[in-house]
């Protein structure tokens, strides 16, 4: 096992890796930008090194600088997490060439699966089913139109280097094609520095089901079963679960074997994920392989009992996988991504300082977070603040538990996706498992517009009146006379009531 | 003191008295206290307990409340203030369509509007990029573009005025 490991990431995933290191007795080294000097991943690590200013292009994407730091602190390995440098072939190569161990697949496997076009050709040769589409990047709008006519609308434009919904566009009519191609190219260029875009037949109404794969250095490649990630907005996953209501033991075995075949074809080692579309007839199509740890790995950890991040490190250190080839998931796990996005306002990003954070706990609840009270949420990084994950004996139990945990969760200071997740947990379709990748886009207006019942509205009106009344008395400098409110000042706050201070500030605005 | 409270489009009257509140003609024991060391309020109504987070809005009496798993936009005003606000709101309706403002800080990617353009409600006029995602900003009502204050490549702060409209001639 390694003595010391450098984590080339930030936020919740960096903290997740710190935790795995501590449990394995490996010293952890965090890196951080100006914006993250006191971030939770820095606080919990054994060592921390500053690597640059807040923009990720000058810090967390600076692979050469990070490798330099790893050598300086005598780390033996580096874990890239997800995003940032995790799927950059050159970074994996640089780490290896510098005499360090990259916790992830070999650079060659990243390259084989990194371009979606090359990956398609590779897996087709391995007998893996794929969605009909082009195998070359589109030259121009005219070629796109010609291909789209051949497959029939709707078609999907996808960045060759893409991921996370960036550089992706569904085109339903010929007249939208040219502008969508421009937009997809622009996003692809901005996000990945590569504007290659290809087109495929758009399959309506499929589920997004993916298979977690673990492969050791000794030729063992295992499937850890499926995750269902159909609750998506703009191709971004919002909620994931394991297992899937749509996957029978037989289908699980077949999809698992297919994923293992794809991984073998790429010469894959370490943790990876094969994404599939699963249509209503139980046919599945390979989409892509993510050559890294996934955001949603905890749901698989809950139902298999396998610590995927620890095993990534163990595999990289040369250990053999001791697990059986045929695993049956135990119980049900659900994950909600808690983001600093405002569901009531079109999911626009919300920024600010987290003034207060109450994390849910109790049976079967896990919080993988990268923020704390005092954290400033800016625009430099991904809006995902944390993941809330629950386990239950059945899917119904897990849904009820998630609802309970979301209710406990309190974040003051930034808008979050919490209420959105609560509405999904209350939704009849979702509770039946009747979801597919377009379900959320269709249901979103209703989910967001859902209004509380009259009793709740009445309670909110009472709370509002009590608040307004307290503020009114505070403005008059006579808080003690406010009826129905407790004006006792808090400990250590001195004689000046904070409401008065606030009111005076209001007055000089 | 009687408050007229607007909650998510509904209007309720709540009278705050010394021993509780009067709603729908009933007096219930209702109190608001702060949870020590946190910005959380406990609102008790009879025996019911509600954990409430609040944020003051942009004008007196306006709050965002997080309570019982919902977020509420509320406005609680006494009768006099309520009457003044209602008059001002009625006045604002005759001054023309609301301008398009930046809902977040970010980069202007494209602008599909020029002075004199007629626009429909829901028409996308400006594309902004924030957190590496493009977001299309749409008009709220029919109107004619009076002024465009941004162009592609500009970085804007939250609340920046992007496009102004006048009412149709």
């Amino acid at each position: 096992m390694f003595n010391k490991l450098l984590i080339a990431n930030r936020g919740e995933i960096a903290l997740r890796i710190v935790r795995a290191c501590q449990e394995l007795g490996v010293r952890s080294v965090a890196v951080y930008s100006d914006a993250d000097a006191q971030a939770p991943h820095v606080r919990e690590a054994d060592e921390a090194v500053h690597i640059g200013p807040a923009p990720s292009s000058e810090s967390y994407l600076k692979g050469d600088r990070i490798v330099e730091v790893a050598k300086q602190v005598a780390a033996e390995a580096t874990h890239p997490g997800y995003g940032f440098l995790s799927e950059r072939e050159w970074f994996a190569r640089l780490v290896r060439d510098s005499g360090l161990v990259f916790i992830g697949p070999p650079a060659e496997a990243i390259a084989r699966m990194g371009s979606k076009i090359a990956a398609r050709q590779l897996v087709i040769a391995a007998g893996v089913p794929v969605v009909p589409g082009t195998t070359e990047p589109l030259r121009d709008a005219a070629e796109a139109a010609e291909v789209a006519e051949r497959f029939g609308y709707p078609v999907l434009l996808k960045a060759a280097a893409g991921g996370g919904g960036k550089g992706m566009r569904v085109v339903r009519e010929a007249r939208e094609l040219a502008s969508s191609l421009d937009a997809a190219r622009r996003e692809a260029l901005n996000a990945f520095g590569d504007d290659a875009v290809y087109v495929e037949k758009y399959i309506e109404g499929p589920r997004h089901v993916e298979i977690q794969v673990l492969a050791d250095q000794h030729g063992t490649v295992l499937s850890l079963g499926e995750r269902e990630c159909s609750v998506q907005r703009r191709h971004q996953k919002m909620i994931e679960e394991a297992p899937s209501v749509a996957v029978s033991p037989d289908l699980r075995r077949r999809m698992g074997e297919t994923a293992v075949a794809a991984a073998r074809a790429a010469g894959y080692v370490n943790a990876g994920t094969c994404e599939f579309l699963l249509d209503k007839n139980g046919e599945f199509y390979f989409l892509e392989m993510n050559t890294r740890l996934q955001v949603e790995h905890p749901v698989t950890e809950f139902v298999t009992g396998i610590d995927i991040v620890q095993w990534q490190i163990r595999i990289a250190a040369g250990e053999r996988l001791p697990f059986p080839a045929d695993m049956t998931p135990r119980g049900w796990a659900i994950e909600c991504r808690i983001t600093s996005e405002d569901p009531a306002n079109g999911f626009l990003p919300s920024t600010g300082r987290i003034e207060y954070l109450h994390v849910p706990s109790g049976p079967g609840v896990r919080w993988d977070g990268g923020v704390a009270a005092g954290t400033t949420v800016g625009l430099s990084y991904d809006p995902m603040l944390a993941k809330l994950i629950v386990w239950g004996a059945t899917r119904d139990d897990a849904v009820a538990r998630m609802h309970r945990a979301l209710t406990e969760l309190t974040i003051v200071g930034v808008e979050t996706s919490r209420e959105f997740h609560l509405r999904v947990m209350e939704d009849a379709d979702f509770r039946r498992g009747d979801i597919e990748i377009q379900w959320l886009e269709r249901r979103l207006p209703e989910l967001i517009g859902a209004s509380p019942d009259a009793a709740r509205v009445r309670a909110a009106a009472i709370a509002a009146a009590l608040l307004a009344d307290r503020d009114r008395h505070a403005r008059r400098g006579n808080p003690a006379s406010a009826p129905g409110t407790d004006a006792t000042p808090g400990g250590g706050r001195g004689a000046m009531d904070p409401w008065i201070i606030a009111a005076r500030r209001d007055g000089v605005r | 003191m009687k408050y007229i409270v607007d909650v998510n489009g509904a209007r309720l009257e709540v009278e705050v008295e010394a021993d509780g509140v009067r709603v729908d003609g009933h007096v219930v024991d209702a109190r608001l206290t702060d949870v020590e060391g946190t910005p959380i309020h406990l609102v008790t109504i009879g025996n019911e307990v509600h954990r409430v987070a609040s944020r003051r809005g942009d004008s007196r009496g306006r709050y965002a409340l997080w309570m019982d798993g919902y977020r509420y936009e509320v406005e609680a005003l006494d009768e006099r203030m309520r009457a003044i606000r209602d008059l001002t709101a009625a006045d604002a309706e005759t001054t023309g369509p609301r301008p398009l403002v930046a809902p977040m800080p970010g980069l202007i990617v494209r602008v599909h509007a020029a002075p004199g353009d007629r626009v429909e409600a829901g028409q996308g006029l400006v594309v902004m990029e924030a957190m590496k995602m493009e977001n299309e900003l749409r008009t709220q009502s029919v109107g004619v573009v009076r002024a465009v204050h941004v162009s592609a490549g500009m970085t804007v702060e939250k609340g920046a005025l992007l496009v102004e409209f006048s009412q149709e001639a």
Side-chain angles (χ1 to χ4, degrees), chain B residues 6-55:
Chain B
D6 286 355
V7 188
N8 295 8
R11 181 164 283 191
L12 287 87
E13 287 186 9
V14 181
E15 219 168 325
V16 179
E17 298 170 357
D19 52 350
V21 297
R22 181 184 293 272
V23 193
D24 308 332
H26 303 284
V27 177
V28 285
D29 180 38
R31 318 212 138 247
L32 180 139
T33 54
D34 291 337
V35 178
E36 191 67 44
T38 78
I40 302 300
H41 319 293
L42 271 193
V43 171
T44 53
I45 302 170
N47 291 327
E48 286 173 31
V49 182
H50 302 268
R51 197 160 40 88
V52 181
S54 70
R55 193 178 62 211

Side-chain angles (χ1 to χ4, degrees), chain A residues 3-18:
Chain A
N3 286 312
K4 195 188 269 192
L5 186 154
L6 180 137
I7 300 153
N9 214 304
R10 65 177 300 282
E12 70 88 15
I13 198 60
L15 183 56
R16 170 74 186 86
I17 299 163
V18 168

Side-chain angles (χ1 to χ4, degrees), chain B:
Chain B
M1 172 61 67
K2 187 199 272 184
Y3 290 88
I4 320 283
V5 187
D6 286 355
V7 188
N8 295 8
R11 181 164 283 191
L12 287 87
E13 287 186 9
V14 181
E15 219 168 325
V16 179
E17 298 170 357
D19 52 350
V21 297
R22 181 184 293 272
V23 193
D24 308 332
H26 303 284
V27 177
V28 285
D29 180 38
R31 318 212 138 247
L32 180 139
T33 54
D34 291 337
V35 178
E36 191 67 44
T38 78
I40 302 300
H41 319 293
L42 271 193
V43 171
T44 53
I45 302 170
N47 291 327
E48 286 173 31
V49 182
H50 302 268
R51 197 160 40 88
V52 181
S54 70
R55 193 178 62 211
R56 284 201 187 79
D58 49 12
S59 61
R60 182 187 295 183
R62 279 204 188 135
Y63 304 88
L65 297 184
W66 290 263
M67 183 171 173
D68 305 331
Y70 284 86
R71 181 186 190 281
Y72 300 89
E73 291 289 343
V74 300
E75 189 171 51
L77 298 170
D78 61 44
E79 285 170 292
R80 194 179 125 264
M81 277 297 290
R82 181 70 266 163
I84 294 169
R85 284 266 167 94
D86 285 346
L87 282 171
T88 335
D91 192 39
E93 266 171 34
T94 61
T95 59
R98 278 203 197 167
L100 195 63
V101 297
M104 63 209 159
L107 177 75
I108 304 295
V109 180
R110 257 164 305 149
V111 179
H112 297 301
D117 285 359
R118 269 208 47 179
V119 294
E120 302 296 326
Q123 189 175 334
L125 292 189
V126 176
V127 178
M128 276 187 74
E129 188 188 287
M131 289 181 174
K132 304 209 164 71
M133 291 291 283
E134 288 191 2
N135 299 283
E136 190 167 39
L137 308 182
R138 297 163 188 273
T139 55
Q140 290 179 346
S141 51
V142 180
V144 174
V145 176
R146 191 169 69 206
V148 178
H149 298 286
V150 288
S151 55
M154 279 173 69
T155 303
V156 295
E157 291 301 316
K158 180 176 175 172
L161 187 62
L162 307 178
V163 182
E164 286 184 288
F165 307 98
S166 52
Q167 229 148 21
E168 277 186 282

Side-chain angles (χ1 to χ4, degrees), chain A residues 263-490:
Chain A
R264 284 196 191 281
Y268 206 84
V269 176
N270 216 291
T273 296
C274 290
E275 297 190 335
F276 296 95
L277 288 180
L278 175 65
D279 75 13
K280 294 194 162 85
N281 310 315
E283 296 295 321
F284 58 90
Y285 307 91
F286 175 89
L287 284 178
E288 61 176 313
M289 183 166 191
N290 294 312
T291 56
R292 55 168 158 82
L293 181 64
Q294 298 274 103
V295 171
E296 59 272 24
H297 72 275
V299 293
T300 302
E301 296 187 322
F302 255 143
V303 297
T304 60
I306 294 172
D307 187 315
I308 294 172
V309 178
Q310 277 196 20
W311 272 99
Q312 285 195 289
I313 299 169
R314 289 174 183 273
I315 286 169
E319 290 190 28
R320 285 173 187 274
L321 288 169
F323 310 113
D326 220 1
M327 266 176 287
T328 305
R330 179 183 159 271
W332 215 281
I334 302 177
E335 170 181 285
C336 288
R337 298 188 184 195
I338 308 300
T339 64
S340 55
E341 293 172 310
D342 183 3
N345 196 10
F347 283 89
L348 289 173
S350 169
T351 57
R353 181 172 174 275
I354 296 178
E355 290 154 32
Y356 175 74
L357 172 65
H358 174 77
V359 170
S361 52
V365 176
R366 169 172 165 180
W367 174 263
D368 278 21
V371 294
T375 299
T376 297
V377 179
L379 284 169
S380 299
Y381 309 114
D382 190 273
M384 197 179 77
L385 304 177
K387 306 177 307 204
L388 179 58
I389 313 112
V390 300
W391 181 89
T394 64
R395 189 170 185 276
D396 286 349
D397 291 347
V399 172
R401 182 164 279 169
M402 179 60 87
H403 193 273
R404 185 271 290 174
L406 285 164
T407 307
E408 281 181 26
L409 171 64
T410 313
I411 302 177
V412 178
V414 291
E415 301 288 343
T416 74
S417 55
R418 183 187 84 123
E419 285 78 20
F420 157 78
H421 288 299
L422 276 164
R423 300 295 90 77
V424 174
M425 294 304 133
E426 291 161 5
D427 185 81
D429 289 351
F430 180 80
R431 294 178 85 106
R432 278 195 310 273
D434 196 0
I435 46 176
E436 35 84 11
I437 59 175
Q438 281 119 9
W439 173 79
L440 182 57
E441 301 279 0
R442 213 169 47 238
R443 287 284 294 161
L444 198 54
E446 255 178 283
L447 287 170
I448 299 305
S451 44
D453 58 38
R456 285 194 161 103
V457 170
R458 185 170 163 275
I462 292 171
L466 290 173
L467 268 174
D469 201 57
R470 180 158 84 172
D471 279 359
R472 174 194 182 84
H473 287 274
R475 272 195 305 276
R476 300 190 164 180
N478 189 13
S481 73
T485 65
D486 175 4
T488 312

